[in-house]
Amino acid sequence: MPHQVVAFWESVGATLLRVLEGPLFTSANIFIAVGILWFFGSFRYFWWRAFSRQGIPRSLPWVGGPGGGLIFRAKVSFRSLLGLRQMLLDGYREHSKNDKSFVLPNFVNGHEVIIPTAHMPWLLEQPESVLSQFETNRQFMAGDYTMLDLLNHSWYRIDERAKRELTHGIDDFTDAMLDEVDDALRSLWGSDTEHWHEMVLYDIMLEVVGRIVARVLVGLPLCRHPGYIQASTSFSKYILLPAMAIELLPSFLKPLVGPVLTSWDKLQYHRMASYTRPLFRERIMTHRDEEKSTATTEPNDYIQWTLRDAIKHGDTPYDAEHLGAKRLAIITFTAVQSSAITITNAIIDIAACTDSVAVQQELRSEVATANNVWTRASLARLPKLDSVLTETLRLWGILTHGVTKAVVARGGVTIPTGEHVPYGAKVGIASYGPHLDGDVYGTSEANPFVYDPFRFTRPEVSAVLKKKGAKPGLGFVTTSEHYMGFSHGRFACPGRFFANSLLKILLARVVMNYDVEPIDERPTNPWLNNTIGPPVGAKIRVRRRKC
């Protein structure tokens, strides 16, 4: 079969060459030749997406069957477009729980080899030169087109600086975050203590979170400027959509269509930059003036961190301004979108759960014990608040794959179950199945989606997670092979500690200052390939509590 395919393509190439070299070399024939190339290029593209094994060994079973036939592979490949949720559950129950690897079909991102959770240590130990998390992230985000041309620059240099500041120095921002939370809630949730206020929750929480993040990264007054907040939240909200569309394109079309698909995001970035670049220029000039004086006090925000880093590495003022503005846009996206989705899901879960009013009161009573102290240590003493967020992330985590890496070693890699996976394929462990494992979380296989707001305060769940490798501590930021809301291991989201403080302060102020009206049925969360979106358009009603 492979020899026949090679011979076929050689004959097509020879025919085209004769056409181009002969007397029929006319505009019409050139058009026909391009059409033929387009047809066979498209055929090859769909063959690879739907029918091909993509180099994955025959010995690996596929979700739903052995994967032996062309028709079967096409069927499950197309099924993955809308049925990936059930395929993840089936694959985990049939294969992963029996310590077997399997193939998860994926028409959009390419088929993936999913290994059992027991082999997580092996997966985490592999060097980037063999299995690359960066390459997976680059492909998933279509980073060559959506990341504002930053992949070829020293993005990770300043990214590491921001991680340190937002992790170890998080308590320095607590007062500012609290002030912004209270102001944003009054502005967007209202202050009427007599009447219910209805709102589209995700849209409102995107703006609330956008303001809190901006307060930390750029400070007042820009964090409350409607134009900047609208641009930054629009950039954060839609960036995944063109990334998904670009990933569906054949390789030869990506350079042509990619810039068109990302034009909206770039427009939003330029709107953001119209506000932030003047700040960078102002800080650069201020630094030059301070070099001539003895002044030592300086702002503590992302702009200043970028400036310090630029000075340390001898960057030009142009790079400090232009690259700094781009990096600020990307880190805003990473901080805003995931937090806005998580807090939206958490509030809807509370509103839809059994005994919603009683749950709100329990949270209110626990939060009152903090005595308005919102340091990282104080938040760690609120286990019920932590459990609510952890349970939400368990059920509705944005990414359904905990750890996925691309094979970048040219010779491929042999996985622990013995199969050899080729260069270019993906190997990983999905989080969706483990998150719904009844043996771990005490749910039934028939209904694994039961929401229990205080599940993670129960000793039996903590004991099982500890056996599965979870470290001591509150669940929300403590990852394990059965809780990968922030991925796991070396590549666990470094911003999760910042998100932990932001979300807990925000949810605490919500339950202390507002009643959320219970709803009869939880709205559904849409799936987009292997990501779970927020319940867009879902409405709730809230009312300010009387002090």
Side-chain angles (χ1 to χ4, degrees), residues 7 78 86 104 181 197 204 254 282 407 422 459 490 499-500:
F78 285 113
Q86 190 60 46
L104 179 70
V181 166
H197 168 60
I204 294 296
K254 289 180 180 180
E282 179 183 335
V407 180
R490 286 184 299 144
N500 177 68

Side-chain angles (χ1 to χ4, degrees), residues 91-394:
Y92 178 73
R93 291 167 178 170
E94 294 172 15
H95 303 291
S96 294
K97 293 201 72 173
N98 294 309
D99 289 329
K100 296 179 181 179
S101 299
F102 68 94
V103 180
L104 179 70
N106 191 314
F107 188 88
V108 176
N109 300 114
H111 308 324
E112 304 165 50
V113 176
I114 305 298
I115 63 176
T117 55
H119 298 312
M120 178 70 82
W122 174 87
L123 183 62
L124 298 179
E125 289 168 0
Q126 300 307 301
E128 275 286 297
S129 58
V130 176
L131 293 178
S132 174
Q133 183 79 51
F134 173 81
E135 180 60 22
T136 298
N137 294 344
R138 186 188 69 81
Q139 292 178 23
F140 173 73
M141 287 299 305
D144 295 334
Y145 304 96
T146 63
M147 293 290 103
L148 303 176
D149 304 316
L150 283 176
L151 293 184
N152 295 324
H153 293 280
S154 52
W155 157 250
Y156 286 101
R157 196 181 75 201
I158 186 61
D159 191 36
E160 289 297 325
R161 180 63 179 267
K163 292 173 189 175
R164 290 196 303 271
E165 298 288 350
L166 292 177
T167 299
H168 302 298
I170 187 61
D171 286 348
D172 295 338
F173 302 103
T174 298
D175 290 343
M177 291 169 65
L178 182 61
D179 179 61
E180 201 60 39
V181 166
D182 288 343
D183 188 83
L185 289 177
R186 281 191 173 275
S187 299
L188 299 169
W189 281 47
S191 55
D192 190 341
T193 60
E194 300 296 333
H195 303 95
W196 292 97
H197 168 60
E198 186 177 73
M199 59 186 173
V200 178
L201 185 60
Y202 176 59
D203 290 346
I204 294 296
M205 297 318 294
L206 191 68
E207 185 170 348
V208 171
V209 172
R211 283 183 51 172
I212 302 167
V213 170
R215 179 66 177 267
V216 172
L217 297 181
V218 298
L220 288 167
L222 189 54
C223 67
R224 296 180 185 176
H225 193 292
Y228 177 75
I229 295 301
Q230 199 279 330
S232 64
T233 54
S234 293
F235 181 82
S236 301
K237 185 177 183 179
Y238 296 114
I239 195 170
L240 281 177
L241 297 179
M244 196 78 65
I246 291 169
E247 191 64 19
L248 276 170
L249 294 171
S251 298
F252 70 93
L253 280 181
K254 289 180 180 180
L256 298 174
V257 182
V260 176
L261 293 175
T262 57
S263 58
W264 169 260
D265 293 325
K266 289 181 178 177
L267 172 63
Q268 303 311 310
Y269 158 69
H270 286 297
R271 291 178 61 201
M272 290 178 67
S274 69
Y275 296 100
T276 58
R277 282 171 52 188
L279 282 178
F280 279 99
R281 286 196 295 270
E282 179 183 335
R283 296 283 182 87
I284 290 169
M285 295 302 298
T286 301
H287 174 76
R288 288 172 176 171
D289 293 339
E290 288 178 348
E291 283 184 322
K292 303 174 185 178
S293 67
T294 59
T296 57
T297 302
E298 62 181 18
N300 184 23
D301 57 24
Y302 190 85
I303 294 175
Q304 202 66 26
W305 307 335
T306 302
L307 181 57
R308 290 180 210 150
D309 185 80
I311 294 169
K312 177 181 177 181
H313 291 88
D315 293 347
T316 66
Y318 177 88
D319 283 343
E321 175 188 333
H322 289 262
L323 293 181
K326 289 183 176 181
R327 290 164 177 157
L328 176 58
I330 297 301
I331 200 170
T332 296
F333 152 69
T334 60
V336 169
Q337 191 205 51
S338 58
S339 294
I341 292 175
T342 300
I343 193 64
T344 297
N345 280 321
I347 293 171
I348 285 179
D349 282 337
I350 292 170
C353 75
T354 305
D355 297 328
S356 173
V357 174
V359 169
Q360 292 179 57
Q361 186 55 48
E362 281 198 61
L363 289 173
R364 203 167 287 133
S365 298
E366 181 183 76
V367 169
T369 65
N371 295 318
N372 287 321
V373 177
W374 306 107
T375 62
R376 189 170 168 179
S378 176
L379 292 171
R381 293 191 289 269
L382 303 175
K384 291 181 180 178
L385 192 71
D386 182 271
S387 179
V388 164
L389 291 169
T390 309
E391 178 74 346
T392 286
L393 206 56
R394 179 184 76 87

